[in-house]
Amino acid sequence: MDDGLFDAPGSAAPTGGRTGGGSLNANTHASAPLAVRMRPRTLDELVGQEQLRAPGSPLRRLVEGDQPMSLLLWGPPGTGKTTIAAIVSQQTDRRFVEVSAVSAGVKEVRAAIDGARAELVATGRETVLFVDEVHRFSKAQQDALLPGVENRWVTLIAATTENPFFSVISPLLSRSLLLRLESLTDADVRAVLDQAIVDERGLAGAVAVDEDALEHLVRLAGGDARRSLTYLEAAAGAATAQGLDTVDLATAETAVDRAAVRYDRQGDQHYDVVSAFIKSVRGSDADAALHYLARMIEAGEDPRFIARRLMILASEDVGLADPTALPTAVAAAQTVQLIGMPEAQLTLAHATIALAVAPKSNAVTTAIGAALADVRAGKIGQVPPHLRDAHYAGAKKIGHGATYKYSHDEPFGIAEQQYAPDVVLDREYYQPTSLGAEAAIKERWERVRRLIRGGDA
């Protein structure tokens, strides 16, 4: 089931397969989980997703203008997808029907739509049909939603953590408004926790929480508001069981069975750990690299940041010694964007190990560095006349391209002619190593360089 149920202080949510009216708060009781009790009841109580809550936004118009439209909510767990569905139902006084793609089939989908149609005909009351994890529906199940959406028998709100362009059929996509939910920031999650500590629906001030314990809970949540509230409830329960009126760091660590990682994303720990990670991969120590990767993951480092560092490293430290390194790092970054955490930790580990065990070469780095240094030193020079653009009228009359040799017409596909400006004619920027796949490149490049410059092959 999607974790995207909780985003900020608020009300109760529908449970799988339930049908009811717009007032879902009545079903929230004191023994309900803290995350359920603190579910937002209005858009204004929602934390994060400012782009969706702005005046005049489609979501705001749906709620306040009571305009029927179907929504497809795409975002990571814990960003408020189910909460938004509940708010739409509550604030517009529509019936609320939820089906889960994990357990419902075509029969259940058609029954929900038939029920909504009957209710609309009999009473004029509209229905919000919430489909959790719609990406798990087969094509036939998604097709079953179309009549209800096309005829507006239901206001469909479908939630997915997967890219809908890959997992949702085109007819349903074209009939729904796609809203992208962003991961909550640490500040957003902190606001959720601060409210839950004092709110009457939450802990109502029964316990206080030390600053370092709060920071620990925020880091562990990883942008997931429901997870943060679950951790807070466990920590508060542990403190109460020990007769304490304050949750300290040790209690929080014990309650969620996760040690606090000393790591400030804006401070020295951040730079030290990242530096050690890069240097371990560069040094081919896969075990050390995995240790630092684990520390960053546990501390809640942005996985996109880690992926970017790996892409840089693939060119800087591996280069052509393993031409697959950069595609591996790029694929890892794309995968991180598509699936998010925690699953993306496998991809980051995959790329980290691949780059760590790959043969290393910094020849690409030194090559571009030397070329840039010459350019910055003013070694520019004129482009040789035979290489200049000869496509415009009169170009050949002034010698542009007149003696150019087309490489594909020459032996071995290599034309002996001057390519570099005179001022850097003898410079040899790229100095391949004999490591890994670059050894073969080195042998070929040395032969090619001699051919180009008129030497012996």
Side-chain angles (χ1 to χ4, degrees), residues 355-397:
L355 269 59
V357 302
K360 303 299 188 296
S361 170
N362 72 340
V364 170
T365 303
T366 56
I368 187 61
L372 286 170
D374 278 352
V375 170
R376 289 166 182 163
K379 297 179 181 179
I380 305 296
Q382 295 293 318
V383 174
H386 56 281
L387 297 187
R388 297 178 191 175
D389 182 19
H391 289 87
Y392 60 91
K396 292 190 184 299
K397 292 181 180 179

Short mmCIF file of all heavy atoms in Angstrom, two decimals, residues 355-397:
data_model
loop_
_atom_site.label_atom_id
_atom_site.label_comp_id
_atom_site.label_asym_id
_atom_site.label_seq_id
_atom_site.Cartn_x
_atom_site.Cartn_y
_atom_site.Cartn_z
N LEU A 355 31.98 1.11 -9.97
CA LEU A 355 33.01 2.12 -10.18
C LEU A 355 34.24 1.86 -9.32
O LEU A 355 35.36 2.17 -9.73
CB LEU A 355 32.45 3.52 -9.90
CG LEU A 355 31.84 4.25 -11.12
CD1 LEU A 355 30.70 3.46 -11.73
CD2 LEU A 355 31.38 5.64 -10.73
N ALA A 356 34.03 1.30 -8.12
CA ALA A 356 35.16 1.02 -7.24
C ALA A 356 36.06 -0.06 -7.81
O ALA A 356 37.29 0.04 -7.75
CB ALA A 356 34.66 0.63 -5.85
N VAL A 357 35.48 -1.12 -8.38
CA VAL A 357 36.30 -2.23 -8.87
C VAL A 357 36.77 -2.01 -10.31
O VAL A 357 37.58 -2.78 -10.82
CB VAL A 357 35.53 -3.57 -8.78
CG1 VAL A 357 35.10 -3.85 -7.35
CG2 VAL A 357 34.30 -3.57 -9.71
N ALA A 358 36.29 -0.96 -10.96
CA ALA A 358 36.70 -0.68 -12.34
C ALA A 358 38.15 -0.23 -12.38
O ALA A 358 38.66 0.38 -11.44
CB ALA A 358 35.81 0.40 -12.95
N PRO A 359 38.85 -0.52 -13.48
CA PRO A 359 40.20 0.06 -13.64
C PRO A 359 40.10 1.57 -13.68
O PRO A 359 39.09 2.12 -14.10
CB PRO A 359 40.68 -0.52 -14.98
CG PRO A 359 39.43 -0.92 -15.70
CD PRO A 359 38.45 -1.32 -14.64
N LYS A 360 41.15 2.24 -13.23
CA LYS A 360 41.08 3.69 -13.08
C LYS A 360 42.01 4.41 -14.06
O LYS A 360 43.11 3.94 -14.35
CB LYS A 360 41.45 4.10 -11.64
CG LYS A 360 40.61 3.47 -10.55
CD LYS A 360 39.15 3.83 -10.67
CE LYS A 360 38.34 3.37 -9.47
NZ LYS A 360 38.29 1.91 -9.32
N SER A 361 41.53 5.54 -14.54
CA SER A 361 42.34 6.42 -15.38
C SER A 361 41.84 7.84 -15.23
O SER A 361 40.64 8.09 -15.27
CB SER A 361 42.26 6.01 -16.85
OG SER A 361 42.85 7.00 -17.68
N ASN A 362 42.76 8.75 -15.02
CA ASN A 362 42.39 10.17 -14.98
C ASN A 362 42.83 10.89 -16.24
O ASN A 362 42.97 12.12 -16.27
CB ASN A 362 42.95 10.85 -13.74
CG ASN A 362 44.46 11.04 -13.82
OD1 ASN A 362 45.13 10.36 -14.61
ND2 ASN A 362 45.01 11.93 -13.01
N ALA A 363 43.07 10.11 -17.32
CA ALA A 363 43.55 10.71 -18.57
C ALA A 363 42.55 11.71 -19.14
O ALA A 363 42.95 12.72 -19.73
CB ALA A 363 43.84 9.61 -19.59
N VAL A 364 41.26 11.44 -18.99
CA VAL A 364 40.25 12.39 -19.46
C VAL A 364 40.36 13.70 -18.69
O VAL A 364 40.31 14.80 -19.26
CB VAL A 364 38.84 11.78 -19.32
CG1 VAL A 364 37.77 12.85 -19.57
CG2 VAL A 364 38.66 10.62 -20.28
N THR A 365 40.53 13.59 -17.38
CA THR A 365 40.62 14.77 -16.52
C THR A 365 41.83 15.62 -16.87
O THR A 365 41.74 16.85 -17.02
CB THR A 365 40.72 14.33 -15.04
OG1 THR A 365 39.58 13.53 -14.72
CG2 THR A 365 40.77 15.52 -14.11
N THR A 366 42.98 14.97 -17.01
CA THR A 366 44.19 15.74 -17.33
C THR A 366 44.14 16.30 -18.75
O THR A 366 44.68 17.39 -19.00
CB THR A 366 45.44 14.86 -17.15
OG1 THR A 366 45.32 13.68 -17.97
CG2 THR A 366 45.60 14.42 -15.70
N ALA A 367 43.49 15.59 -19.66
CA ALA A 367 43.40 16.06 -21.05
C ALA A 367 42.62 17.36 -21.14
O ALA A 367 43.08 18.35 -21.75
CB ALA A 367 42.77 14.99 -21.93
N ILE A 368 41.44 17.39 -20.56
CA ILE A 368 40.63 18.61 -20.65
C ILE A 368 41.26 19.72 -19.81
O ILE A 368 41.19 20.91 -20.18
CB ILE A 368 39.15 18.36 -20.22
CG1 ILE A 368 38.30 19.59 -20.48
CG2 ILE A 368 39.08 17.93 -18.77
CD1 ILE A 368 38.24 20.02 -21.93
N GLY A 369 41.92 19.34 -18.72
CA GLY A 369 42.59 20.35 -17.89
C GLY A 369 43.71 21.04 -18.66
O GLY A 369 43.86 22.27 -18.61
N ALA A 370 44.52 20.26 -19.39
CA ALA A 370 45.62 20.84 -20.16
C ALA A 370 45.09 21.70 -21.31
O ALA A 370 45.64 22.77 -21.61
CB ALA A 370 46.50 19.72 -20.70
N ALA A 371 44.02 21.22 -21.97
CA ALA A 371 43.45 22.00 -23.07
C ALA A 371 42.88 23.32 -22.57
O ALA A 371 43.08 24.38 -23.19
CB ALA A 371 42.36 21.18 -23.77
N LEU A 372 42.19 23.29 -21.45
CA LEU A 372 41.63 24.52 -20.88
C LEU A 372 42.74 25.48 -20.46
O LEU A 372 42.62 26.70 -20.63
CB LEU A 372 40.75 24.18 -19.67
CG LEU A 372 39.38 23.57 -19.99
CD1 LEU A 372 38.72 23.06 -18.71
CD2 LEU A 372 38.48 24.60 -20.67
N ALA A 373 43.81 24.93 -19.91
CA ALA A 373 44.91 25.79 -19.47
C ALA A 373 45.51 26.54 -20.65
O ALA A 373 45.83 27.74 -20.54
CB ALA A 373 45.99 24.94 -18.78
N ASP A 374 45.68 25.86 -21.79
CA ASP A 374 46.22 26.53 -22.97
C ASP A 374 45.29 27.63 -23.47
O ASP A 374 45.72 28.74 -23.83
CB ASP A 374 46.47 25.51 -24.08
CG ASP A 374 47.80 24.78 -23.92
OD1 ASP A 374 48.58 25.18 -23.03
OD2 ASP A 374 48.05 23.81 -24.66
N VAL A 375 43.99 27.32 -23.50
CA VAL A 375 43.02 28.32 -23.97
C VAL A 375 43.02 29.53 -23.05
O VAL A 375 43.00 30.68 -23.50
CB VAL A 375 41.62 27.69 -24.07
CG1 VAL A 375 40.56 28.76 -24.31
CG2 VAL A 375 41.58 26.65 -25.19
N ARG A 376 43.04 29.28 -21.75
CA ARG A 376 43.04 30.39 -20.79
C ARG A 376 44.32 31.20 -20.86
O ARG A 376 44.34 32.37 -20.47
CB ARG A 376 42.81 29.84 -19.38
CG ARG A 376 41.39 29.33 -19.17
CD ARG A 376 41.28 28.49 -17.92
NE ARG A 376 39.91 27.97 -17.75
CZ ARG A 376 39.59 26.96 -16.96
NH1 ARG A 376 40.53 26.34 -16.25
NH2 ARG A 376 38.34 26.56 -16.87
N ALA A 377 45.40 30.56 -21.32
CA ALA A 377 46.68 31.26 -21.45
C ALA A 377 46.77 32.04 -22.76
O ALA A 377 47.80 32.65 -23.06
CB ALA A 377 47.83 30.26 -21.36
N GLY A 378 45.69 32.00 -23.54
CA GLY A 378 45.65 32.77 -24.77
C GLY A 378 46.12 32.03 -26.00
O GLY A 378 46.26 32.62 -27.08
N LYS A 379 46.37 30.73 -25.87
CA LYS A 379 46.81 29.94 -27.02
C LYS A 379 45.58 29.52 -27.82
O LYS A 379 45.10 28.39 -27.72
CB LYS A 379 47.60 28.72 -26.55
CG LYS A 379 48.89 29.08 -25.82
CD LYS A 379 49.65 27.83 -25.36
CE LYS A 379 50.92 28.22 -24.63
NZ LYS A 379 51.65 27.01 -24.16
N ILE A 380 45.08 30.44 -28.60
CA ILE A 380 43.85 30.21 -29.34
C ILE A 380 44.16 29.85 -30.79
O ILE A 380 43.91 28.74 -31.24
CB ILE A 380 42.93 31.46 -29.28
CG1 ILE A 380 42.66 31.84 -27.83
CG2 ILE A 380 41.64 31.18 -30.05
CD1 ILE A 380 41.91 30.81 -27.03
N GLY A 381 44.74 30.74 -31.52
CA GLY A 381 45.13 30.48 -32.90
C GLY A 381 43.95 30.44 -33.86
O GLY A 381 42.79 30.30 -33.47
N GLN A 382 44.26 30.55 -35.11
CA GLN A 382 43.24 30.55 -36.15
C GLN A 382 42.88 29.11 -36.54
O GLN A 382 43.75 28.24 -36.58
CB GLN A 382 43.74 31.29 -37.39
CG GLN A 382 43.99 32.77 -37.18
CD GLN A 382 42.70 33.52 -36.91
OE1 GLN A 382 41.68 33.26 -37.56
NE2 GLN A 382 42.73 34.43 -35.95
N VAL A 383 41.61 28.89 -36.82
CA VAL A 383 41.19 27.59 -37.35
C VAL A 383 41.82 27.42 -38.73
O VAL A 383 41.74 28.34 -39.57
CB VAL A 383 39.65 27.51 -37.45
CG1 VAL A 383 39.23 26.19 -38.14
CG2 VAL A 383 39.02 27.62 -36.07
N PRO A 384 42.50 26.30 -38.99
CA PRO A 384 43.10 26.10 -40.31
C PRO A 384 42.07 26.31 -41.41
O PRO A 384 40.92 25.88 -41.29
CB PRO A 384 43.57 24.64 -40.25
CG PRO A 384 43.83 24.40 -38.80
CD PRO A 384 42.78 25.18 -38.08
N PRO A 385 42.44 26.97 -42.53
CA PRO A 385 41.48 27.31 -43.59
C PRO A 385 40.69 26.12 -44.12
O PRO A 385 39.50 26.25 -44.39
CB PRO A 385 42.37 27.93 -44.67
CG PRO A 385 43.53 28.48 -43.92
CD PRO A 385 43.79 27.52 -42.80
N HIS A 386 41.35 24.96 -44.26
CA HIS A 386 40.63 23.81 -44.84
C HIS A 386 39.58 23.24 -43.91
O HIS A 386 38.74 22.45 -44.33
CB HIS A 386 41.63 22.72 -45.26
CG HIS A 386 42.52 22.25 -44.14
ND1 HIS A 386 43.63 22.96 -43.72
CD2 HIS A 386 42.46 21.15 -43.36
CE1 HIS A 386 44.22 22.31 -42.73
NE2 HIS A 386 43.53 21.21 -42.49
N LEU A 387 39.59 23.64 -42.62
CA LEU A 387 38.58 23.15 -41.68
C LEU A 387 37.43 24.14 -41.50
O LEU A 387 36.44 23.82 -40.85
CB LEU A 387 39.21 22.88 -40.30
CG LEU A 387 40.30 21.81 -40.20
CD1 LEU A 387 40.67 21.59 -38.75
CD2 LEU A 387 39.82 20.50 -40.83
N ARG A 388 37.54 25.32 -42.07
CA ARG A 388 36.51 26.34 -41.85
C ARG A 388 35.25 26.02 -42.65
O ARG A 388 35.26 25.26 -43.61
CB ARG A 388 37.05 27.71 -42.24
CG ARG A 388 38.22 28.15 -41.38
CD ARG A 388 38.76 29.50 -41.80
NE ARG A 388 40.04 29.78 -41.13
CZ ARG A 388 40.79 30.83 -41.37
NH1 ARG A 388 40.39 31.73 -42.28
NH2 ARG A 388 41.93 31.01 -40.73
N ASP A 389 34.15 26.60 -42.20
CA ASP A 389 32.85 26.37 -42.84
C ASP A 389 32.89 26.79 -44.30
O ASP A 389 33.24 27.92 -44.63
CB ASP A 389 31.77 27.16 -42.08
CG ASP A 389 30.38 26.93 -42.66
OD1 ASP A 389 30.19 25.92 -43.38
OD2 ASP A 389 29.49 27.76 -42.39
N ALA A 390 32.51 25.84 -45.18
CA ALA A 390 32.54 26.13 -46.62
C ALA A 390 31.17 26.01 -47.26
O ALA A 390 31.05 25.84 -48.47
CB ALA A 390 33.52 25.17 -47.31
N HIS A 391 30.12 26.10 -46.45
CA HIS A 391 28.77 25.87 -46.98
C HIS A 391 28.11 27.13 -47.52
O HIS A 391 27.10 27.05 -48.21
CB HIS A 391 27.88 25.25 -45.90
CG HIS A 391 28.24 23.81 -45.59
ND1 HIS A 391 29.19 23.49 -44.65
CD2 HIS A 391 27.80 22.65 -46.12
CE1 HIS A 391 29.30 22.18 -44.59
NE2 HIS A 391 28.48 21.64 -45.47
N TYR A 392 28.63 28.29 -47.21
CA TYR A 392 27.96 29.51 -47.66
C TYR A 392 28.59 30.00 -48.97
O TYR A 392 29.73 29.66 -49.31
CB TYR A 392 28.02 30.60 -46.59
CG TYR A 392 29.41 31.04 -46.19
CD1 TYR A 392 30.04 32.10 -46.83
CD2 TYR A 392 30.08 30.40 -45.14
CE1 TYR A 392 31.30 32.52 -46.45
CE2 TYR A 392 31.34 30.80 -44.75
CZ TYR A 392 31.95 31.85 -45.41
OH TYR A 392 33.20 32.26 -45.03
N ALA A 393 27.86 30.79 -49.70
CA ALA A 393 28.31 31.28 -51.00
C ALA A 393 29.59 32.10 -50.86
O ALA A 393 29.70 32.96 -49.99
CB ALA A 393 27.22 32.13 -51.65
N GLY A 394 30.56 31.80 -51.68
CA GLY A 394 31.80 32.55 -51.67
C GLY A 394 32.85 32.03 -50.72
O GLY A 394 33.98 32.53 -50.70
N ALA A 395 32.52 31.00 -49.94
CA ALA A 395 33.47 30.49 -48.94
C ALA A 395 34.72 29.93 -49.61
O ALA A 395 35.85 30.19 -49.19
CB ALA A 395 32.81 29.43 -48.07
N LYS A 396 34.51 29.16 -50.67
CA LYS A 396 35.65 28.52 -51.33
C LYS A 396 36.54 29.55 -52.02
O LYS A 396 37.75 29.34 -52.21
CB LYS A 396 35.17 27.47 -52.32
CG LYS A 396 34.53 26.25 -51.65
CD LYS A 396 34.32 25.14 -52.65
CE LYS A 396 33.60 23.95 -52.02
NZ LYS A 396 34.34 23.35 -50.93
N LYS A 397 35.97 30.69 -52.41
CA LYS A 397 36.76 31.71 -53.08
C LYS A 397 37.82 32.30 -52.15
O LYS A 397 38.85 32.81 -52.60
CB LYS A 397 35.85 32.83 -53.58
CG LYS A 397 34.93 32.40 -54.73
CD LYS A 397 34.07 33.55 -55.18
CE LYS A 397 33.15 33.13 -56.34
NZ LYS A 397 32.28 34.24 -56.79
#
